Structures are given as structure tokens and as C-alpha cells.
Amino acid sequence: MIAAVKGFRDVLPEESRRWQALEDAARELFLAYGFGEIRLPILERTELFARSVGETSDIVEKEMYGFIDRDGTSLTLRPEATASVARAYIEGNLGRADAQARLFYIGPMFRRERPQKGRYRQFYQIGAELLGRADPLADAELLLLLARYLERVGARETRLELNSLGDETCRPVYRERLRKFGERHLDVLCPDCHRRLERNPLRLLDCKVEACRQVMADAPVMRDSLCADCAAHLGQLRALLDQERVPYVMNFRIVRGLDYYRRTAFEVVAEGLGAQNAVGAGGRYDGLVAALGGPDVPGVGFALGLDRLGVATSAGALASGPAAVILPLEERAVGPAFALATRLRQQGLSVGLEPAGRSLKALLRSADRRGARLAVILGEEELQVGRATVRDLVRGQDRRQVLTLDASGPELASAVQALVGADG
Ligand code: AMP
């Protein structure tokens, strides 16, 4: 057998049904907030991620799937989509009318992480990006959208954690303070952290090694280094969230793995997911579009992980089996059974169809196993009178010759619905 590639998996109907519900809810709600769907390519030039996500990020350093194309171009399967959205904004001149663009995307991302429960090498995200707005109202709108969405899909026990990472004025000051702090604890910090200290001290806060975490628990926090503008931005954002009663907690340790974040940074964590409990994350990336060669346009966005959200929500819980299964008792009944199933399916009813050639008992057992509510029986007698017998599998009751075979689709569907709804 040829197995799937490590970290890559099939999303089977039961799970993908939940995903569809999550996607449908996103499409509906995001549109209400003025976001339009963008369908982005999965493949980009490697330099797009090197320049946006950052050379020192884990993603670019060790997690990207790339290859050299036949013409020598280095290409990469996207590890995230914000960089692509920024590229599309520049390339499609999406800010021409007014600088603002509201976009959302749904699709797979690729990162060569160590696979475990809730962490895959191909995973799926739903994300929203609001470009062209620097004011805290934009951040508030986006976080409200996120909170309302989680509420709508029934995400159990999620918590929004918020931080500000400062800007080009105050972040360097903080970075220096962190570097000095790290240098005083070199003996305890892991080899990775030694490297981080050189290249990007903020990422010291991200380390998962227990000894490092203990040291970093006493590290200085960004809050105390925020400049007046950044503090005001955070203050206004918090006031707007409070006004709309969006629950959140401040977490001054959030740094985010990606280099381009400015000011607002946040994560959504869910209870009961185990180690991989982050269902979503995002923040403000005011320098990104300019860094990619576009106009100096700010932006803010989030991405939710479908693989984890599907576990953390009640959306699209598996519906029961088909409303009815059609059972032809003999070969001659196959044609009429097929026609009946087709007409009912065209009316949007979930209907099963069994092949002929087995006893009534065996057919009923199949229908029962599939969780059907009704069995529609087509035997010699039914064909003669032109009406099928319907057995209510839940109540164990027969209604002889109730379904007229040459009725129209809508008539048939309402007859079946009446039988299904017989006892509510
Ligand atoms: P990030 O783009 O790293 O901020 O991640 C945003 C969200 O995507 C996370 O909160 C997860 O829900 C999801 N996610 C990120 N990486 C993975 C992965 N390897 N497997 C599954 N979900 C992931």
C-alpha cells in the first residue's frame, strides 16, 4: 500500500461536513462585515515569504516546502496567506478606489512541522485581512468579527488573548531590554534561545523549553516599554472591545512567530484540545505591504485553523442518516426505484438506494444500518398499483402503498416529509 505523506491526511466526510458548516458560517458572517473572498494561489515565489514572514522565523528557517522550478525560480508552497494577500493587494492595485480592502480566504497551508495531534504539515485556515486602516476601530472590528464568528459556530470555551508588540519607535527599546535580560541568563537558556538572542530576542518569549519558560517568566514585558502612541492605540482598542462586550484577557507574552507584526497581536486558545490548543491568531502588520514593494499601507488580520476549530466546535455535528432508503425487491423494480430516488434527491432530500436481489429482511437490515428513518419498499404488488409501501423504521410501522410512483418530485418530497415528521 502507498500511504499518505507524513503529516498529510485525508479529511473524511464526517469531518469535512463540520468544515463545510464552519466555511458556510464564515462566508455568511464575513460578508456582513464587508469582507470579500479572495482565492489565492498555493504556490508563491520563495522570496515573498523570506521578505514578509522573516528570515529568522521558524517557518522560513526550517518549515517551508519549496522546490526549484525548471526555469530556476525558487518556489514555495505557502506556509500562510497574509503575505499572499499583501502581494495580491499590490499586484491587483486593490487600494485604488479607497486605500481600504477587506478580504478573506479559505484554504490549505503547508509547514514542515513535527506532526502530532492537531498539528499537520498540510493544514487549513480561514483568514480575514483588513488593509489600509491604522486606526484602532479597524482592529476592534476585526476582533469583533472573530468573536462573533466563534460564537456562531459554537466554539466551546475559547479565550481571546491580546497584546501590543509596539512599533518601530518602542520595539527596538524593548528588544534591547530583552537582549540584556537574556544575556544575564545565558547559562540556563537552550541553544535555540542563544541563537534567538543574537537574531531576534523577542522570540525568547516563544520558547517551549521548560527551563527557558521559567527564566522568561520574569523577563520585562512590552507593556512597560510601549511609546505613547502605541499605548493610546491599545487603550482605544480595549475601550471599543469593552463597549461591545468582547471578552479577552491581556497576555503580555504573546510575540507571534512572524516578523511583520506591529502593535496589536492576539491568539485564540481553546480548552480541551491538548498541547495544540491555539485555534487562531493574528495581529497588525503595518510595514508589510511597503516591505513587499507596495505603498505604505497598514493592515490587520487573523487566521483560524480549521483542523482544530473542527474539533473545538459543535458546528455541523453529524446529521442522522438519510430520510429514506429505497428498496427494490426485484429486478423489475430497479428502474422505478432509481427514478423515485432521483426525484427525491432533486428535491434536496437525502435518499439511499439499494440494489435488488436480496430478501426484504436483508434490505431492511441495510436500511436500518444506514440510520434511515423510512424504508420505501417496491415489490410486485406495489408496481402493479403504482404506489410504494413505506415502513417507518423508528416506529416499526408499515403504511401500505402510500407513495404514488408517478407523482411529481415536489409531491413525493412533501409526502416523504410528512411521513418523516409524523411524530416530529
Ligand atoms: P499561525 O499562522 O501560525 O498564526 O496559525 C494560525 C492558526 O492556524 C493556529 O492557531 C492553528 O489553529 C492553525 N495552525 C497553524 N499551524 C498549524 C499546523 N501545523 N497544523 C494545524 N493547524 C495549524
Side-chain angles (χ1 to χ4, degrees):
M1 190 202 71
I2 302 173
V5 178
K6 184 177 174 195
F8 290 68
R9 69 191 185 110
D10 304 303
V11 180
L12 300 176
E14 186 177 336
E15 189 173 8
S16 80
R17 202 187 160 90
R18 304 168 82 92
W19 288 24
Q20 269 165 31
L22 293 168
E23 291 164 0
D24 290 348
R27 290 204 163 91
E28 201 183 302
L29 189 69
F30 290 17
L31 283 175
Y33 280 73
F35 288 76
E37 181 167 4
I38 182 166
R39 303 208 183 191
L40 297 157
I42 283 170
L43 207 57
E44 297 274 5
R45 290 168 183 274
T46 303
E47 64 182 291
L48 176 69
F49 304 114
R51 266 166 63 185
S52 59
V53 180
E55 304 273 7
T56 63
S57 63
D58 278 356
I59 291 180
V60 172
E61 267 188 348
K62 48 191 183 198
E63 294 172 0
M64 294 207 300
Y65 278 102
F67 64 95
I68 305 294
D69 202 0
R70 286 163 201 242
D71 64 1
T73 320
S74 172
L75 301 178
T76 291
L77 288 175
R78 61 178 187 195
E80 57 106 48
T82 303
S84 300
V85 170
R87 180 200 47 69
Y89 178 89
I90 301 167
E91 205 170 341
N93 197 11
L94 303 185
R96 68 184 164 268
D98 74 52
Q100 225 189 112
R102 291 167 180 247
L103 302 163
F104 75 91
Y105 58 83
I106 301 178
M109 310 292 155
F110 305 85
R111 292 183 200 168
R112 204 172 189 292
E113 296 186 86
R114 196 169 49 75
Q116 65 180 84
K117 187 165 177 287
R119 189 160 73 193
Y120 310 100
R121 291 179 167 183
Q122 173 173 336
F123 59 97
Y124 294 76
Q125 288 185 338
I126 296 181
E129 313 285 354
L130 204 179
L131 289 116
R133 290 269 304 272
D135 56 305
L137 179 58
D139 308 51
E141 260 195 84
L142 199 87
L143 283 170
L144 188 69
L145 169 61
L146 176 58
R148 292 287 176 267
Y149 176 70
L150 290 170
E151 216 172 86
R152 176 169 304 193
V153 300
R156 288 178 255 118
E157 302 181 51
T158 51
R159 185 173 69 244
L160 175 62
E161 300 187 349
L162 183 64
N163 192 15
S164 173
L165 301 178
D167 63 6
E168 54 290 347
T169 310
C170 53
R171 189 136 56 134
V173 180
Y174 176 58
R175 188 179 290 134
E176 237 354 82
R177 290 181 65 195
L178 261 188
R179 187 196 307 280
K180 291 208 174 99
F181 177 86
E183 273 163 4
R184 286 201 299 276
H185 297 89
L186 274 182
D187 49 330
V188 193
L189 294 176
C190 73
D192 269 351
C193 278
H194 283 210
R195 255 178 348 113
R196 291 179 180 127
L197 201 59
E198 297 267 303
R199 303 181 63 176
N200 188 355
L202 239 54
R203 306 240 12 256
L204 291 174
L205 292 166
D206 247 359
C207 189
K208 303 279 182 290
V209 175
E210 191 47 41
C212 299
R213 287 166 67 112
Q214 276 179 20
V215 169
M216 295 313 290
D218 299 322
V221 292
M222 184 69 225
R223 175 189 40 187
D224 303 327
S225 299
L226 288 180
C227 64
D229 284 350
C230 286
H233 193 277
L234 178 62
Q236 287 166 29
L237 169 58
R238 295 184 63 175
L240 288 165
L241 293 178
D242 291 342
Q243 178 194 309
E244 293 305 316
R245 299 183 200 289
V246 176
Y248 67 92
V249 293
M250 292 304 297
N251 176 354
F252 297 108
R253 318 230 146 250
I254 292 177
V255 284
R256 314 288 303 120
L258 317 185
D259 278 359
Y260 53 66
Y261 281 102
R262 295 269 151 70
R263 292 189 172 161
T264 311
F266 52 85
E267 286 180 5
V268 179
V269 291
E271 298 300 330
L273 287 192
Q276 302 304 318
N277 66 350
V279 291
R284 176 165 278 293
Y285 45 83
D286 292 350
L288 175 63
V289 178
L292 293 176
D296 190 8
V297 167
V300 58
F302 66 74
L304 289 161
L306 262 175
D307 303 75
R308 297 181 196 169
L309 207 53
V311 178
T313 61
S314 51
L318 192 61
S320 47
V325 175
I326 320 279
L327 309 177
L329 293 189
E330 49 198 286
E331 273 319 317
R332 221 162 60 78
V334 165
F338 189 30
L340 190 58
T342 304
R343 267 176 292 158
L344 287 169
R345 286 168 173 170
Q346 266 170 329
Q347 298 302 312
L349 280 176
S350 166
V351 169
L353 180 59
E354 291 291 320
R358 279 180 295 160
S359 68
L360 176 61
K361 202 169 144 203
L363 285 168
L364 284 172
R365 215 172 18 238
S366 305
D368 206 34
R369 256 203 306 272
R370 289 169 66 171
R373 173 65 199 270
L374 304 176
V376 177
I377 301 157
L378 280 179
E380 189 61 44
E381 212 183 308
E382 283 78 11
L383 288 178
Q384 258 172 29
V385 296
R387 286 193 298 273
T389 291
V390 176
R391 171 170 297 188
D392 186 324
L393 293 169
V394 173
R395 301 210 274 171
Q397 210 175 58
D398 275 354
R399 301 192 181 218
R400 291 178 59 75
Q401 300 170 3
V402 284
L403 215 55
T404 311
L405 293 180
D406 59 7
S408 71
E411 283 166 345
L412 284 168
S414 56
V416 165
Q417 261 147 1
L419 289 162
V420 168
D423 63 350

